[in-house]
Amino acid sequence: MSRARILAVDDQPYFRAFVEGMLTEEGYEVRTASSGAEALRWIERERFDVVLTDLVMPEMDGSELVRRIREREPEQEVVVVSGVGDVKTAVDAMKLGATDYLLKPIDRTALTRSLESLLQRKRLRDEHSRLMEENLEYMGVLSLYERAIGMMATLTLEPLAERIVEGLCLETRAQSGVLWVARENGAPGLRLLALRGLVRSSEEPAELTLEAAEAEPAPDATQAGGASAALRVPIRHGGRLLALARLADRLDGRDFDSRDRASAEKFAELAGLAVANALRFRSLESRSFRDPASGAYTEAYFQDVLRNELQKADRFGRSFSLLLLALEPATPPGLSREECLRFRHDLAHHVGRALRSTDLLAEHGSASFGLLLPETDTLGAAVLKRRIRDALEQSDLLQALEERARPQVLLAAVSYPADATQLETLWQLLQTRQEEERRSLVRSLGLDASSFAASVHALLARAAPAPPALPEQVSRFVLEEVARRPRERGLLFLAPGAALAGAVREGLERLRGASTRTEIVLVDEGPADPLAGSPVTCVSPRRVGTRTPFLVYYGEGPAYALLRQREGDGSSSGIFHTADRALVEHLAFQLQRDLGLPVAP
């Protein structure tokens, strides 16, 4: 560790010699000055940890020296030395910025203790400054990577080029920027793609050869000390030049320096990866990314778009859903290979007609299709599932087949972020839900074409004894869940019957004035007025077609349905309840259809 450096100032030679000898013995490196003017000259040439000065000196006294030192070096530690009669002067010097004062004659122990205290404080202050600089550097890195995330999520070249120029201008405080980007498919040269600030496209070359882009700037473009009037920033990836930026007009009017160049190069490393991804994506687009047999997008293209959608959803807090569509069997039996290909093409066509313009249909394996539904939550995915199912089942493609040869439509859905936030987990869950759809009671009992009342009748044949308190406990729990998740969309249908009317209305009463996105429908003959102000739609049991008490809840998270046999001779009624998601979804949308309630996808 280097020795601390002390500057001792006094007009008396013997005092200078005394202090120099004493401090040298204590391990300090000491310089002396005979006047305030000489001390200021030393401070201009060298840095000192502590200045030790006498107060009473000719020409420039110690107080004036303290003031002049503080003007030049605000953080400089200064100790003043005074006689017993000069204490007031010493106090005045401390008001001007002196850190400590000592009385003559100087005590060796007091002097070393004062110096060590000041040096310790200086070390702490230096450490604090270093940590602050590291924190600022770390925040700069975080800001850089936040902008990098935005670049990585942009796969279209034109918006990406704008982001890159904007980012480089922010890093270097440039007001103007131009960016040339490599052509797709490995074609030679770079083309002008983005401008920012006071730049005219007519004055910039529309194209650059690789030789011109790689060439060093003219000698007069670089100033002494590494500063330059314009800054060229090559953007590379894998050793290949993918883009070239030219920045100009720094905000403070100065030339770009080495720090600006280092910041731009760091940003350019990340920009190179983003440009490489965008060029690869454009290359995929330029090739045939549709399956020639079905006309749907290829699976590779679908996965690329899906990864991009995941990044956008994660950054902007959005949702999306995935659907898996399969027919069982995949094609009607007895068809030739050409007829099977034609059938698959027509199938993709009918599905595409039921989709929104923003949705994406793609091949998924040899027997199924994957669908990406941007900006779609769990309930919206269920709505689109039923729209696709209805469109297929009513299409001439399936209606033209004999009933025994007609494939069954199998559709499963998952949503981000409600079900999972990782693609691998989403796909695994999608496969699980497809199998649940396959084994659901909707298929085994043939409930697809049944009304809600007929489905209730079929399911109550499977009712089993249950604790009498279960329906009330479930009703209270579900209403509490709705209150706890006000931002999640869902459907809740309640037909409490006489036994549960009080408990259900009590739970709905607690929702009065609440803002919830769950559509609550109360099927009850009781008056609706007491629930005014609650987010509840009241309907008569006659519109449902059954007086069986029931609860159906479908939305994000677990789905649940409970059907309760009506009491006859006073014995405990049987109950059918299930968390079969496919069955609960079926019951909820049967009710929605029978009651004519619109649900937005």
Side-chain angles (χ1 to χ4, degrees), residues 5 141 161 164 228-229 250 271 291 319 338 364 376 410 414 418 424 434 449 452 511 578:
R5 306 188 73 244
V141 170
I164 291 173
S228 61
R250 209 172 90 156
D291 181 78
S319 60
E338 290 74 16
H364 184 74
T376 305
L410 200 63
V414 294
E424 183 179 353
Q434 186 183 57
F452 177 75
L511 290 173
T578 180

Side-chain angles (χ1 to χ4, degrees), residues 346-387:
D346 292 344
L347 175 65
H349 173 71
H350 281 288
V351 173
R353 291 174 59 183
L355 297 178
R356 305 166 303 182
S357 60
T358 54
D359 301 332
L360 189 69
L361 173 69
E363 294 279 346
H364 184 74
S366 59
S368 59
F369 290 99
L371 292 92
L372 173 61
L373 312 176
E375 305 285 347
T376 305
D377 59 14
T378 300
L379 192 57
V383 172
L384 288 168
K385 272 179 62 178
R386 303 199 74 78
R387 180 187 297 173

Side-chain angles (χ1 to χ4, degrees), residues 304-355:
D304 275 346
V305 175
L306 180 55
R307 281 190 288 269
N308 185 42
E309 187 65 29
L310 178 66
Q311 291 174 354
K312 289 194 297 183
D314 182 58
R315 175 179 174 131
F316 298 109
R318 298 173 180 170
S319 60
F320 68 85
S321 293
L322 287 175
L323 265 62
L324 192 58
L325 166 66
L327 296 186
E328 291 191 344
T331 55
L335 298 183
S336 65
R337 182 177 182 278
E338 290 74 16
E339 290 172 329
C340 287
L341 292 175
R342 183 63 186 172
F343 178 85
R344 191 166 178 82
H345 179 274
D346 292 344
L347 175 65
H349 173 71
H350 281 288
V351 173
R353 291 174 59 183
L355 297 178

Side-chain angles (χ1 to χ4, degrees), residues 428-590:
Q428 290 173 351
L429 182 57
L430 196 56
Q431 298 287 346
T432 301
R433 288 202 175 157
Q434 186 183 57
E435 184 59 30
E436 291 173 353
E437 293 269 349
R438 185 178 288 111
R439 294 185 285 103
S440 173
L441 287 176
V442 177
R443 298 190 69 189
S444 61
L445 296 180
L447 302 180
D448 279 316
S450 303
S451 66
F452 177 75
S455 296
V456 169
H457 180 75
L459 293 171
L460 282 178
R462 295 170 169 260
L470 178 63
E472 181 176 343
Q473 291 171 349
V474 169
S475 300
R476 292 183 184 277
F477 174 78
V478 169
L479 287 169
E480 288 172 1
E481 279 293 288
V482 170
R484 194 170 63 85
R485 303 181 179 215
R487 297 173 61 86
E488 297 179 3
R489 285 208 306 157
L491 293 172
L492 173 59
F493 297 90
L494 292 161
L500 297 179
V504 168
R505 284 181 173 263
E506 180 186 332
L508 294 175
E509 179 67 28
R510 285 196 289 269
L511 290 173
R512 187 186 300 273
S515 175
T516 175
R517 299 184 68 202
T518 296
E519 182 73 29
I520 305 173
V521 178
L522 178 63
V523 182
D524 192 13
E525 292 285 14
D529 291 344
L531 293 175
S534 299
V536 180
T537 301
C538 296
V539 300
S540 168
R542 289 189 295 274
R543 294 181 60 185
V544 179
T546 178
R547 292 185 175 275
T548 299
F550 63 82
L551 178 152
V552 177
Y553 178 49
Y554 183 84
E556 296 181 7
Y560 185 78
L562 182 146
L563 310 175
R564 183 168 179 255
Q565 288 179 333
R566 297 180 67 193
E567 297 181 1
D569 57 2
S571 60
S572 296
S573 60
I575 288 176
F576 173 85
H577 62 118
T578 180
D580 178 344
R581 191 172 188 83
L583 177 57
V584 177
E585 179 188 319
H586 171 74
L587 294 174
F589 280 91
Q590 276 185 323

